[in-house]
Amino acid sequence: MALNSLLLIGLLASLLTFVLTKVNKKLGSYCTIFSTLFILIFLFGYMNDAGSIFNLINFGDFSLQLVTSNYGWYFSIIMVLTYFLVSFFNPYWVEKLINPASYNMLYVFSVVSTLGVFYAKDFLTLFIFWEMVVWSSLFIIPLGKSRKASVVYYTISTIGSFSMFFAIMYLYSLYQTFDINTISQNLIDSPNTAIIAYFLIIIAGLTKLGIFPFHTWLPIAHGNAPNTFSPVLSGGLVKMGGFIALLISAVIPTSQIFSKHIKIIGVPYENYIVMVLGAISIIVGTLMAIKQEDAKRLIAYSTVANGGYILIGISLLDQVGFAGGMMHIFNHAMASAAMFLTIGAVAYRTGTTNMNELGGLIKKMPVTFAAYLIAIISMAGIPPMSGFASKWLIFQGLANKGLMFMAFAAFFGSIGSFMYVFRPLATVFLGQLSPKYNDVKEVPFLMQIPMFVMSLLTIYFGVMPSHMLAFISKIQGSLNITPITIEGSKIYSFSGMWDSIVITLVFVIGFIIAAVIFYTHKKAEPVDQMNTYTAGEFIYDPESYHYAKSYYAPFERLYKNHPSIEKFYEAIALRVSEFGQLVKSWFFSSNVSTGVFWISVIITIAFFWGDKL
């Protein structure tokens, strides 16, 4: 099927989903599953297609066109796969949504729009589909808990959108074309012009990827969006920012364009500035995730940190680090979406995502627990999960270039991720079960499917990362980057080689030994939560036994009084609000005399200076 036809059918499917949901909520939600599956199946046909052009629409001298590429396919398949798997939750959450018909329609509409972004042949097509994604997600977010979240999301997105739009118009005024390849060739001969375009367009990517200082929308939007859309936001849509970073760094070859500019540790200062922002995001995201009480906000801040890894990896533009950054796009999509789904499953059964109110759910929801455990192992970069492979490659790239600040940030983020991913594990699934959750049971089988598939993919590409890196090496070749060296299960870097099969065997043997010790030794005697002693005092309230609150209080005190960009933004918002109130009191007062006064002022100005205005 032609790519433009696939988009058209996808858009029609979103309208059909709306109608079906109006007829029957469950039926419309099942339609989101079949619609995304349909797109996913036909998208596989473009796996090895590159250079095919599809016309969307012509108007005057302009035309909107799509072009196939291996990097566009890589991003799109991750995006659609995430949408498809998450859609299995839709039939069960549809009753809790404010407007289920609009949600289901926008859900399909947004995934189709992302295809237009990844396959855009020109900047105008890219910008139009970019805005379609922003607006569709803008209307989905307030269908959850808060309308304010969509305001924050749109404000930050608008910064990126205007920045990108200005860059596109600026480039068009210079070269009279929107075509990305043509502009790229022109920028090679105009490196100073490329600086302006680079920073204006990369801002759009930074806002979407949630990079400091544009990260503030993630915890608000993720925390308040419907539980079925948070996994899509974190696992899918933020990766559009990674695509922009790829486009403006590799498709438009900045390493070649900026080759004669000032370099910092061998990296053009333009790329270095962006990488520093990625490193700061890793540190900020990690520290903020550690102190969260709400599980969804915790995962949202972890997305900020992992966005930093992706940005640094792609901006490195080298053989190993670039491959790591590209692979981390997939790994984080699976891990973060799985984490959000497991917390969504917990919320489905308990009605809360506040970790202070949970605990001891491991025996009630074993499948959900297993999926969360696999996801956090990958998120923390521990073998044999796939997250280890991508982080290891990024570390290798940073070490090879001698970028010690970035390497420290990446190492700090990995250590910190142990802390924040462990907190939901200990406070949601382990510990004592509250009596009010005695009747909780595992989520329905259909909701378990995406958690199982994501876990399976995480393990598979952890054991055999070379299968994914082989495709990434093709992307590197098409972008004139030296492909990563792979030999079977062996992956080579600058400092040596690691064999994923050998590492997996080591962990499997260790797991078997631990299992033997566990099952051959005497088991601990289970006791009721209230059957214990507390220094001679009996606690009558079982909630007092829960230890989730202030879990890392001693560590958090180390950076309790840290500077906050959020407070800076809040101060600006407060001043804007006060100015708005002042203007309102002046021009829109209910007092008639105030209105007469301003009308008199306007008439006086028009009478004396009207001809000069």
Side-chain angles (χ1 to χ4, degrees):
M1 178 181 292
L3 198 57
N4 49 359
S5 300
L6 183 62
L7 263 67
L8 179 61
I9 292 175
L11 292 175
L12 292 175
S14 69
L15 295 176
L16 176 64
T17 304
F18 179 84
V19 174
L20 291 178
T21 309
K22 284 291 184 183
V23 175
N24 184 293
K25 294 179 182 177
K26 288 276 187 181
L27 183 62
S29 299
Y30 284 117
C31 189
T32 62
I33 301 175
F34 291 115
S35 299
T36 50
L37 176 61
F38 175 83
I39 298 171
L40 184 66
I41 291 172
F42 281 96
L43 203 57
F44 266 102
Y46 290 97
M47 182 176 182
N48 297 310
D49 194 344
S52 300
I53 298 174
F54 301 93
N55 200 50
L56 288 175
I57 188 171
N58 296 317
F59 52 100
D61 296 332
F62 303 102
S63 61
L64 303 183
Q65 292 181 320
L66 305 175
V67 62
T68 55
S69 62
N70 47 25
Y71 57 85
W73 183 85
Y74 181 75
F75 275 88
S76 60
I77 203 71
I78 293 172
M79 182 74 70
V80 179
L81 177 64
T82 306
Y83 265 89
F84 167 63
L85 292 174
V86 174
S87 65
F88 282 84
F89 269 49
N90 287 340
Y92 297 95
W93 279 98
V94 67
E95 298 290 346
K96 302 177 186 295
L97 296 173
I98 297 172
N99 191 332
S102 297
Y103 174 84
N104 287 335
M105 180 188 71
L106 292 171
Y107 188 89
V108 179
F109 182 82
S110 61
V111 67
V112 175
S113 303
T114 60
L115 298 182
V117 172
F118 297 139
Y119 286 107
K121 186 177 183 298
D122 55 88
F123 277 118
L124 187 60
T125 304
L126 188 151
F127 182 77
I128 290 173
F129 280 100
W130 179 277
E131 285 302 293
M132 288 168 65
V133 177
V134 169
W135 282 91
S136 56
S137 50
L138 169 69
F139 289 114
I140 288 179
I141 291 172
L143 299 180
K145 297 178 183 177
S146 168
R147 294 180 184 274
K148 182 182 176 182
S150 63
V151 175
V152 176
Y153 168 70
Y154 184 68
T155 302
I156 301 293
S157 293
T158 300
I159 295 173
S161 296
F162 274 106
S163 178
M164 182 194 290
F165 184 72
F166 184 82
I168 293 171
M169 292 298 109
Y170 173 66
L171 293 170
Y172 181 79
S173 67
L174 294 176
Y175 306 123
Q176 307 302 309
T177 181
F178 293 114
D179 187 82
I180 294 173
N181 284 335
T182 306
I183 289 175
S184 176
Q185 292 302 315
N186 281 293
L187 288 178
I188 292 174
D189 300 324
S190 307
N192 291 330
T193 301
I195 296 174
I196 300 173
Y198 176 76
F199 281 112
L200 285 175
I201 297 177
I202 199 67
I203 285 175
L206 300 184
T207 56
K208 187 59 69 180
L209 197 53
I211 297 298
F212 177 88
F214 305 110
H215 65 285
T216 53
W217 69 270
L218 268 86
I220 299 173
H222 286 62
N224 292 284
N227 284 314
T228 49
F229 197 65
S230 295
V232 171
L233 268 178
S234 180
L237 292 182
V238 298
K239 304 303 181 293
M240 286 170 54
F243 178 77
I244 293 298
L246 174 79
L247 183 71
I248 199 64
S249 300
V251 178
I252 297 176
T254 53
S255 59
Q256 180 182 352
I257 295 172
F258 300 146
S259 59
K260 295 181 180 179
H261 287 192
I262 298 172
K263 290 186 172 61
I264 302 175
I265 318 179
V267 179
Y269 77 90
E270 296 91 346
N271 297 76
Y272 190 83
I273 290 172
V274 172
M275 291 171 68
V276 168
L277 291 176
I280 295 173
S281 296
I282 293 175
I283 295 174
V284 170
T286 301
L287 292 176
M288 294 301 292
I290 288 171
K291 62 190 294 186
Q292 298 306 310
E293 304 287 344
D294 184 274
K296 288 181 68 178
R297 288 179 64 89
L298 182 151
I299 304 170
Y301 273 113
S302 79
T303 300
V304 175
N306 282 278
Y309 283 102
I310 293 170
L311 184 65
I312 289 176
I314 291 177
S315 300
L316 272 173
L317 292 175
D318 74 346
Q319 183 183 20
V320 177
F322 179 86
M326 289 294 286
M327 187 175 182
H328 203 63
I329 289 171
F330 172 81
N331 292 338
H332 181 253
M334 292 298 105
S336 67
M339 288 175 69
F340 267 117
L341 286 179
T342 55
I343 297 302
V346 169
Y348 180 74
R349 287 305 192 198
T350 64
T352 182
T353 56
N354 190 332
M355 290 181 283
N356 295 334
E357 302 173 14
L358 298 166
L361 293 174
I362 181 173
K363 291 185 178 179
K364 299 291 182 179
M365 306 178 72
V367 175
T368 303
F369 164 75
Y372 180 81
L373 182 63
I374 293 170
I376 65 171
I377 293 174
S378 180
M379 186 78 80
I382 302 172
M385 304 307 168
S386 57
F388 168 75
S390 54
K391 284 192 174 182
W392 185 83
L393 292 171
I394 294 172
F395 288 147
Q396 290 290 317
L398 291 171
N400 178 62
K401 285 186 175 293
L403 297 165
M404 288 301 109
F405 171 68
M406 281 74 166
F408 167 77
F411 183 73
F412 179 86
S414 287
I415 299 299
S417 64
F418 284 104
M419 296 177 68
Y420 65 70
V421 298
F422 180 74
R423 183 171 182 177
L425 182 77
T427 59
V428 174
F429 296 102
L430 304 181
Q432 293 282 10
L433 178 70
S434 173
K436 62 183 177 183
Y437 298 132
N438 280 336
D439 297 329
V440 165
K441 57 183 180 181
E442 187 57 89
V443 292
F445 177 71
L446 203 62
M447 294 176 72
Q448 297 177 30
I449 291 176
M451 294 189 284
F452 175 76
V453 174
M454 288 179 177
S455 301
L456 196 63
L457 290 172
T458 300
I459 295 172
Y460 177 76
F461 287 112
V463 177
M464 291 301 297
S466 55
H467 288 178
M468 179 175 293
L469 290 171
F471 188 82
I472 292 174
S473 69
K474 289 175 61 178
I475 296 176
Q476 288 178 295
S478 68
L479 297 174
N480 296 318
I481 300 171
T482 306
I484 187 169
T485 305
I486 307 162
E487 188 179 292
S489 59
K490 298 176 182 176
I491 299 166
Y492 293 85
S493 73
F494 306 104
S495 60
M497 174 273 294
W498 67 282
D499 191 322
S500 58
I501 294 294
V502 173
I503 289 180
T504 302
L505 286 176
V506 170
F507 272 82
V508 169
I509 292 171
F511 180 80
I512 292 172
I513 294 172
V516 170
I517 295 173
F518 177 80
Y519 286 107
T520 54
H521 282 64
K522 186 179 180 181
K523 303 293 186 299
E525 182 182 354
V527 296
D528 184 78
Q529 184 175 3
M530 302 302 292
N531 185 14
T532 185
Y533 296 93
T534 54
E537 296 290 334
F538 191 83
I539 297 177
Y540 296 92
D541 179 12
E543 304 296 334
S544 301
Y545 280 110
H546 197 46
Y547 52 86
K549 192 172 180 60
S550 300
Y551 196 79
Y552 289 123
F555 182 79
E556 291 173 26
R557 280 196 289 271
L558 296 175
Y559 61 100
K560 182 179 180 181
N561 298 318
H562 62 86
S564 171
I565 193 73
E566 285 86 352
K567 291 180 181 176
F568 175 70
Y569 289 156
E570 288 172 2
I572 293 177
L574 179 61
R575 298 295 177 271
V576 171
S577 176
E578 290 175 346
F579 180 73
Q581 291 296 327
L582 181 64
V583 172
K584 182 180 179 181
S585 65
W586 283 358
F587 294 97
F588 303 98
S589 171
S590 58
N591 191 335
V592 177
S593 60
T594 303
V596 172
F597 170 76
W598 283 111
I599 291 173
S600 302
V601 170
I602 293 171
I603 292 175
T604 302
I605 292 173
F607 181 79
F608 287 102
W609 299 287
D611 58 331
K612 297 179 181 178
L613 295 177

